[in-house]
Amino acid sequence: MTLNAVALARLPDGVRRPAFNPAALKSGIVHLGIGAFHRAHQAVFTQDAIEKHGGNWGIIGASLLRADVPDALARQGCLYTVESLGSEARYQVMGALRQALFAPRDSDTLLAALAAPTTHAVTLTLSEKGYCLNADGTLDFSHPDILADLATPQTPRSAIGWLTLALEQRRKSGAGPLLR
């Protein structure tokens, strides 16, 4: 069975479903680096907060390097299951993720989400290399992705490049600051 909105009603009773309608949830977070760590931790905490307090804190997630994860999530309406292990395995369907993007392919959609006045937070979970830093923690201006971002700032490759372009777009459009 493919997980999707229709399949939610047919899941076994022991599978926890979102306590809200995922299709009605508006996005307020854009996340760069939509890997397993984000999906199993930050997205879970976000969903728990939405279930407890409400709010438009749905997540638009983007992969900067690979299309496989966003494409798989898109086929499932961005629903996925988290398994928690303990004395018994527990399963929870996640509905906080509202859109999954591949940055190089979906660049216009990603920039629009990052620059939207409804986006209140931008979060990141990247590998150590993804931050493009030197050993001393400063930006590595010789990193190939940073060099590419400097050469063509309108088509960023790095998270730093995406953030820079988005913040510039937010400033120009008057979208306001993040985390307000």
Side-chain angles (χ1 to χ4, degrees):
M1 169 176 31
T2 300
L3 182 60
N4 57 38
V6 174
L8 281 176
R10 297 188 314 234
L11 293 174
D13 290 338
V15 177
R16 185 173 159 207
R17 295 155 181 82
F20 54 86
N21 177 359
L25 181 64
K26 291 186 172 57
S27 298
I29 299 171
V30 176
H31 184 81
L32 303 178
I34 190 170
F37 184 83
H38 164 72
R39 295 190 320 273
H41 296 282
Q42 182 183 350
V44 173
F45 301 140
T46 301
Q47 180 157 314
D48 289 348
I50 293 167
E51 289 179 345
K52 187 167 184 168
H53 300 290
N56 291 320
W57 290 99
I59 301 166
I60 297 172
S63 172
L64 301 181
L65 299 177
R66 296 177 48 185
D68 56 340
V69 170
D71 290 351
L73 288 164
R75 286 191 296 274
Q76 299 182 164
C78 290
L79 298 173
Y80 64 95
T81 305
V82 171
E83 178 183 28
S84 299
L85 301 176
S87 59
E88 290 184 26
R90 293 175 316 217
Y91 300 94
Q92 176 179 2
V93 174
M94 302 303 301
L97 183 66
R98 298 314 320 130
Q99 195 170 17
L101 307 172
F102 176 47
R105 176 189 62 215
D106 304 316
S107 59
D108 291 344
T109 304
L110 177 55
L111 182 58
L114 287 163
T118 54
T119 295
H120 307 296
V122 176
T123 56
L124 303 99
T125 50
L126 308 170
S127 70
E128 183 178 324
K129 290 182 259 183
Y131 291 98
C132 306
L133 301 176
N134 290 308
D136 66 358
T138 60
L139 187 63
D140 180 0
F141 285 96
S142 66
H143 190 286
D145 290 346
I146 299 301
L147 290 171
D149 290 346
L150 291 170
T152 57
Q154 297 303 309
T155 55
R157 285 184 11 192
S158 73
I160 300 292
W162 277 105
L163 291 171
T164 301
L165 182 61
L167 290 171
E168 177 64 15
Q169 184 67 32
R170 290 180 74 85
R171 184 191 64 76
K172 284 181 182 177
S173 69
L178 295 166
L179 294 176
R180 56 187 181 285

